Amino acid sequence: GAGISGNDRALYILEEGILSNIPQVQLIAMNLLSRLQNDYADHAINHCLRSNHLLVRLEAAYHLCLKKHPKAIAQAESLMAKVDPALHPAFPQLFAMAGTDQALKILKKMLAHQNEEVRVAAIQSVAKYGRDDLLPQIRILSTHHPIAQQEICAVALGELGDSSSVERLKEMCLSTSPSVKLAALQALYRLDCKEAARGMMGAAEEKFLPAIGMLGEVEGSEPLLAK
């Protein structure tokens, strides 16, 4: 109620929620405070970084990066250093979202991370947040062998509109991996290589589910979808 009302006189209720020992209450209060653009809300979210619950701390780092708070990158980097490495794939999107020079330096390092899951998450975040200044690294990574990495690189090259990678994408269409081939075809289609539609429709005719989903953006695919 305090969050929905937006009344400053009710903010103390949200502050009590932030101080709660119940993580669900902390998360609700923090999400409502994150809608406010003032120092009070930022201070409260910063307080959540000291929560005993990891999920609350991760959510706080997310909101600070979303707000592009001056301390967001330092806090996110500090939190990443404290958690189990298995959780590191959750962090690239925070740095891509913030988009500061320091954040992009960290993101660039994550593109070269020894853990494939971290690299894949970093490539995905680069594409999602349109960080095309990191395209040179994506092009290089697209030539490496891991299947999941090649697939997400193809997706990123298409989403970032990298027309200089058309030849590389055509090479990826020859992959023995159906998922890599399909991602490359979709990227080519998005780069205005409309002949790639034939390959996407062919995969859909073979009942490859991801291909059927992609036909939504292919002109003239209605009869095949109906079938």
Side-chain angles (χ1 to χ4, degrees):
I4 292 169
S5 73
N7 193 314
D8 289 347
R9 289 179 296 174
L11 286 177
Y12 75 93
I13 298 174
L14 296 179
E15 186 175 33
E16 289 179 5
I18 289 289
L19 299 174
S20 171
N21 290 322
I22 303 171
Q24 291 90 339
V25 175
Q26 281 188 308
L27 288 168
I28 291 168
M30 177 170 46
N31 275 283
L32 291 166
L33 282 167
S34 71
R35 301 175 186 178
L36 305 177
Q37 299 296 328
N38 57 45
D39 292 341
Y40 176 88
D42 292 350
H43 176 75
I45 294 171
N46 266 291
H47 180 83
C48 286
L49 287 164
R50 298 195 293 272
S51 171
N52 293 326
H53 305 283
L54 178 58
L55 181 59
V56 175
R57 284 182 282 162
L58 285 168
E59 187 81 3
Y62 169 83
H63 284 300
L64 289 175
C65 288
L66 189 61
K67 284 173 167 280
K68 303 187 188 301
H69 189 276
K71 295 182 179 179
I73 302 308
Q75 296 284 19
E77 193 173 16
S78 174
L79 181 58
M80 185 171 66
K82 295 174 184 176
V83 301
D84 190 291
L87 290 175
H88 286 182
F91 285 86
Q93 67 166 324
L94 302 184
F95 301 119
M97 185 191 308
T100 64
D101 289 343
Q102 180 59 23
L104 293 180
K105 284 180 181 177
I106 298 170
L107 189 58
K108 187 175 181 179
K109 289 180 181 178
M110 299 185 92
L111 287 171
H113 201 280
Q114 61 182 3
N115 185 322
E116 182 186 347
E117 290 185 12
V118 175
R119 294 196 306 273
V120 167
I123 296 164
Q124 189 172 29
S125 299
V126 167
K128 181 178 180 179
Y129 293 98
R131 304 302 175 191
D132 54 7
D133 44 347
L134 293 174
L135 264 174
Q137 286 73 34
I138 304 296
R139 293 184 193 116
I140 293 170
L141 289 168
S142 74
T143 65
H144 296 175
H145 294 300
I147 296 300
Q149 181 175 303
Q150 283 199 0
E151 180 182 356
I152 198 62
C153 280
V155 171
L157 293 171
E159 289 190 0
L160 294 172
D162 185 28
S163 57
S164 66
S165 291
V166 166
E167 291 306 315
R168 172 58 191 149
L169 288 166
K170 287 180 178 179
E171 291 174 5
M172 296 172 81
C173 287
L174 302 176
S175 173
T176 56
S177 165
S179 59
V180 173
K181 180 178 179 178
L182 185 61
L185 284 167
Q186 184 184 43
L188 285 169
Y189 185 82
R190 289 175 172 176
L191 292 171
D192 212 31
C193 298
K194 299 305 182 185
E195 64 273 15
R198 289 198 298 270
M200 296 165 69
M201 295 174 78
E205 285 179 333
E206 294 174 6
K207 300 182 180 180
F208 188 41
L209 290 178
I212 297 172
M214 289 178 182
L215 291 187
E217 64 184 77
V218 176
E219 295 179 9
S221 65
E222 291 84 357
L224 180 56
L225 283 170
K227 179 182 176 181

